[in-house]
Structure formats: structure tokens, C-alpha cells
Amino acid sequence: MPTTLNSRHVAVIGAGAAGLAAARELRQEGHNIVVFERNVQIGGTWVYDPQVESDPLGLDPSRTIIHPSLYSSLRINLPKEAMGFRVYPFIPKNDETRDSRRYPGHREAMLYLQNFAREFGIEEMVKLSLRWLMLH
């Protein structure tokens, strides 16, 4: 006998690929979702930050810790056809500023995730670091 799902308030940690997909699926199941992202924009590990640690060996305990996830020339390592979500294929936008290669750069992966969030109304559920830190 099927059970009735009770709507829950659910926090999703991270607005990268997994967090955005989880938020979409959970909302489709009727839950109220908030996605907490420590970065200032949607995209998870695909958000490029050129900053590097001043003390890469971690000897100075008072250093500012920076968590770089990628380098400036990084491209995705699998074809974009395999990287996209089934409900939202990774198809390049018809725009000359976008990277239409089969293995595009990190910026295109970030833009894909941001477009996915916008398309499925997830964007308004995301609390970016600046927004939710200022509220608390």
C-alpha cells in the first residue's frame, strides 16, 4: 500500500550539480527547500576564483584559507552530452560568447548550472554566502 509523503522543510548544502539536482527532485516531491551555498554564486566547484593561498603548506594558522577547486584553463573531462541532466541537456546557447566545444571550459559548466537553476526555479531557493550571512 503506497504511503502519503509528508511535506518537509529540507536544507540542501551546496549549489553545485548535486545540490541543484537534489533541490529540483525534492521540490517535485512536494518539499520546501532552501539551498545554502557558501560561494557568492551558483555553480559549485565550477565557480573559478583566481585567489591562491598565501601559505600553501598551511604553516601559518592565522592565514586566510582559500579552497580553489580549479585552474583558469580547466575544461570538463567528459563530453558535455554525458555531463548534462536528462531533463536539461548540456546544449550550448546560441551566443558567440559561449563555449560550444564538446569539452568546454569551466565557465561554460558554471553557466550551464546557473541556467538549470533559473530554468527550474531553483535560483530563488538558493541562499548565497553574502545573502544568508547578512541575514543572520
Side-chain angles (χ1 to χ4, degrees):
M1 176 183 270
T3 60
T4 305
L5 179 67
N6 294 324
S7 179
R8 304 275 189 215
H9 293 282
V10 180
V12 173
I13 308 301
L20 296 174
R24 180 185 173 277
E25 294 299 318
L26 288 164
R27 189 176 63 191
Q28 282 192 312
E29 293 294 323
H31 299 294
N32 297 311
I33 310 302
V34 176
V35 180
F36 292 98
E37 171 55 52
R38 75 174 174 183
N39 210 327
V40 297
Q41 60 184 314
I42 291 172
T45 59
W46 295 106
V47 176
Y48 174 67
D49 184 348
Q51 293 181 324
V52 293
E53 289 226 13
S54 60
D55 179 18
L57 295 178
L59 301 175
D60 178 8
S62 64
R63 76 191 184 284
T64 301
I65 297 174
I66 299 171
H67 298 284
S69 60
L70 49 96
Y71 49 92
S72 64
S73 62
L74 183 76
R75 291 170 55 181
I76 64 173
N77 64 350
L78 64 154
K80 61 185 169 197
E81 298 87 356
M83 187 173 171
F85 299 120
R86 185 172 14 147
V87 297
Y88 193 75
F90 196 142
I91 299 171
K93 300 296 180 190
N94 202 9
D95 179 345
E96 60 203 36
T97 66
R98 302 292 290 265
D99 187 347
S100 61
R101 297 177 292 183
R102 190 163 190 216
Y103 295 86
H106 60 81
R107 179 178 178 273
E108 195 63 32
M110 178 193 69
L111 291 172
Y112 166 77
L113 293 173
Q114 292 173 351
N115 292 334
F116 173 84
R118 190 171 304 115
E119 176 75 21
F120 291 100
I122 301 165
E123 205 173 37
E124 64 263 8
M125 294 187 284
V126 178
K127 303 294 183 197
L128 299 171
S129 67
L130 293 179
R131 286 196 309 216
W132 67 272
L133 286 175
M134 289 189 301
L135 296 174
H136 294 75

